[in-house]
Each structure stands twice: as C-alpha cells, then as structure tokens.
Amino acid sequence: MKYEGWPEEGELVVGKVDEIEDFGVFIDLEEYEGKRGLSHVSEVASGWIKNVRDHVNEGQTVVAKVLDVDESSQQIDLSIKDVNDHQRSDKIQEWKNEQKADKWLSLAFGEDMDDETFRRVANALLAEFGSLYDGFEQAAIHGHEVLESVDLNDEERERIVETARENVSVPYVTVTGYVHLESPNPDGVDDIRRALEAAEGDGEIPDEIDLKVTYVGSPEYRIRVQAPNYKTAEDELEAAAERAITSIDDAGGDGAFHRERQTENE
C-alpha cells in the first residue's frame, strides 16, 4: 500500500534512485503514490563530490530525510547524507514490515480484494495503530479484543486475527488458562501436587517457553505461558492443562480446563 498525499518535513522516506544527474539524484518514493523527490548533489554525501555515481546507483534503494515539500510546484527536497546508519536500518526494517503487512492483508481478504476495500481496511488499522504491521502484531498477541475500537465489522476482525496468528512472529506472547483440580483421596493433596508438576512439564519445557502454574483459590490453578508466538503459546497451554488433567484423572480425581477464572478471589 502506498500513502496518498505528501510526506512531512523531517520525515524519513524510502525511495529508489530513478535518475542521476550532475546536480543531484531523482528518487521515486516507495511509500507515496506518484511522488518523486530530488536530493541535490550537496545532500547526497558529506564532503566534496567529484562524481555522484560514486555514491549512488540507479535502481538503488535509499533512505532519505525530507528537507522541504512544495506542493504547488510538486517538489520534494531530500537529503541522503542526513540519515545515519541506525536510522537507515530502522527505516528499511519498518518499510519491509509494511510490505509484509500488505501481503497479510491480501491473505486475509483474498488476492481479488478491490482497492476500495483494501484502503478502507488499511486506513482503519492505520488510524488505530499507526502502521499495518503494528495492527497485525497486536491482533496476533491480543486477538479480537484489541480490534474492538477499530472501524471494521466482525467478519473483517475475524479475518485479521486469524491471518495474524498464522503469520506474525512477535517477540513474545502471553496466554493464560485455568485448571480445576480435585481429588477425593486421603492423600489428595499429593495427587494435586503431582498434577501441577505434570502441568509444569517436569522440567522438560523448551527453553524458549516460560510456563508457570500458580494457586488462585481452591480448587483452581492458573497456567501462564509466555512464548515466541501465539500458536506455540496456545499449544503449550493446552498441553500443560491436558497433562494436569490426565494426572489427576489417573489418581481418581477430577480435572477440567477453562480460559476464564471461576473463583471470585485470589
């Protein structure tokens, strides 16, 4: 998706070098529809420049800082030299993330999605999260809840959450569930202790997973899982609950898994 309108002064933009002249470099802006800027030779690199082509090549992707925008003359002045390595790396990553999010939007609604629908959904996510990528990332972590205030219908929210959880890798996600464990046996306390140890994996949980079981209020226990992505976290949560329930069932007790708390006080 390319933005309509104009970039703002001071903004960092991604562009592709389209034409090189002795006086400067023309750059097609990758993020703005139909917009082209000029980086004067004095803004291409620091120091004296003998040959502009020693510093940039046609077709090269560059990050530039917007120095000035004159809409009346359709002119955008850019500086390549004013962008440091850290800014360049961050901006390129941001741009790549938005390209990914464009593809996710097409996956969510189909390749034949019309432009009007694409822009309507994209603008709704941009208005709420600032970027498409952040919208999908938040949907992957928090699900439907985070999209409640976004101007989309229920089906559109469902498609975004489903696509996000299948495609987005986030630094970590946290999911929580609860197990209800009871044992009528005289040594029922030991039965429950073994069930909780089983839930925690008996030390065999993968290193990238943080799984904790805590007491909420008899007979309820919270299972909290932190993992690199939503699918892994959900799988580990369900597996932990299943281990606990199997253990307590084998001991002659009863166990059940639910996503929401059922006791009133912790």
Side-chain angles (χ1 to χ4, degrees), residues 80-97:
I80 298 174
K81 74 175 185 179
D82 282 356
V83 181
N84 61 41
D85 290 342
H86 180 70
Q87 291 172 318
R88 184 178 300 106
S89 176
D90 284 353
K91 182 60 184 179
I92 288 293
Q93 186 59 56
E94 176 187 316
W95 174 59
K96 289 180 177 179
N97 285 345

Side-chain angles (χ1 to χ4, degrees), residues 44-224:
V44 172
S46 299
W48 181 70
I49 296 178
K50 180 179 181 181
N51 188 339
V52 181
R53 293 180 183 275
D54 290 339
H55 300 274
V56 291
N57 302 308
E58 290 180 355
Q60 178 182 347
T61 298
V62 298
V63 176
K65 181 178 181 180
V66 178
L67 298 178
D68 187 58
V69 176
D70 188 339
E71 296 183 27
S72 61
S73 62
Q74 302 283 298
Q75 183 172 329
I76 303 172
D77 294 331
L78 304 171
S79 174
I80 298 174
K81 74 175 185 179
D82 282 356
V83 181
N84 61 41
D85 290 342
H86 180 70
Q87 291 172 318
R88 184 178 300 106
S89 176
D90 284 353
K91 182 60 184 179
I92 288 293
Q93 186 59 56
E94 176 187 316
W95 174 59
K96 289 180 177 179
N97 285 345
E98 288 303 280
Q99 289 182 310
K100 289 181 183 178
D102 275 1
K103 293 179 180 178
W104 295 337
L105 205 54
S106 295
L107 284 174
F109 294 91
E111 294 292 341
D112 57 348
M113 180 185 192
D114 62 85
D115 290 344
E116 181 180 349
T117 302
F118 185 95
R119 290 190 176 278
R120 178 180 59 79
V121 174
N123 287 334
L125 292 172
L126 287 169
E128 182 71 20
F129 302 104
S131 76
L132 293 184
Y133 185 87
D134 286 346
F136 273 96
E137 185 176 70
Q138 290 302 306
I141 296 172
H142 301 292
H144 297 82
E145 180 181 350
V146 79
L147 298 178
E148 287 180 358
S149 60
V150 181
D151 188 16
L152 300 170
N153 61 45
D154 289 342
E155 181 183 352
E156 289 167 343
R157 294 189 185 99
E158 176 63 33
R159 290 189 179 192
I160 290 170
V161 170
E162 182 179 348
T163 302
R165 287 178 168 173
E166 289 178 352
N167 294 277
V168 180
S169 294
V170 294
Y172 67 88
V173 296
T174 301
V175 295
T176 302
Y178 299 83
V179 285
H180 182 108
L181 303 173
E182 290 184 289
S183 174
N185 300 323
D187 56 350
V189 172
D190 291 333
D191 294 340
I192 291 173
R193 176 181 54 78
R194 284 189 289 269
L196 296 177
E197 290 174 350
E200 292 179 333
D202 295 320
E204 295 181 2
I205 300 298
D207 291 340
E208 69 271 20
I209 305 300
D210 182 23
L211 191 156
K212 294 181 180 179
V213 181
T214 55
Y215 175 77
V216 175
S218 182
E220 190 173 40
Y221 302 84
R222 178 192 294 114
I223 303 175
R224 175 185 174 276

Side-chain angles (χ1 to χ4, degrees), residues 202-255:
D202 295 320
E204 295 181 2
I205 300 298
D207 291 340
E208 69 271 20
I209 305 300
D210 182 23
L211 191 156
K212 294 181 180 179
V213 181
T214 55
Y215 175 77
V216 175
S218 182
E220 190 173 40
Y221 302 84
R222 178 192 294 114
I223 303 175
R224 175 185 174 276
V225 180
Q226 191 174 78
N229 59 70
Y230 180 84
K231 185 178 186 306
T232 300
E234 283 289 332
D235 288 346
E236 291 292 337
L237 174 61
E238 292 176 7
E242 184 177 347
R243 289 193 298 269
I245 292 169
T246 298
S247 177
I248 201 71
D249 285 348
D250 290 344
D254 295 310

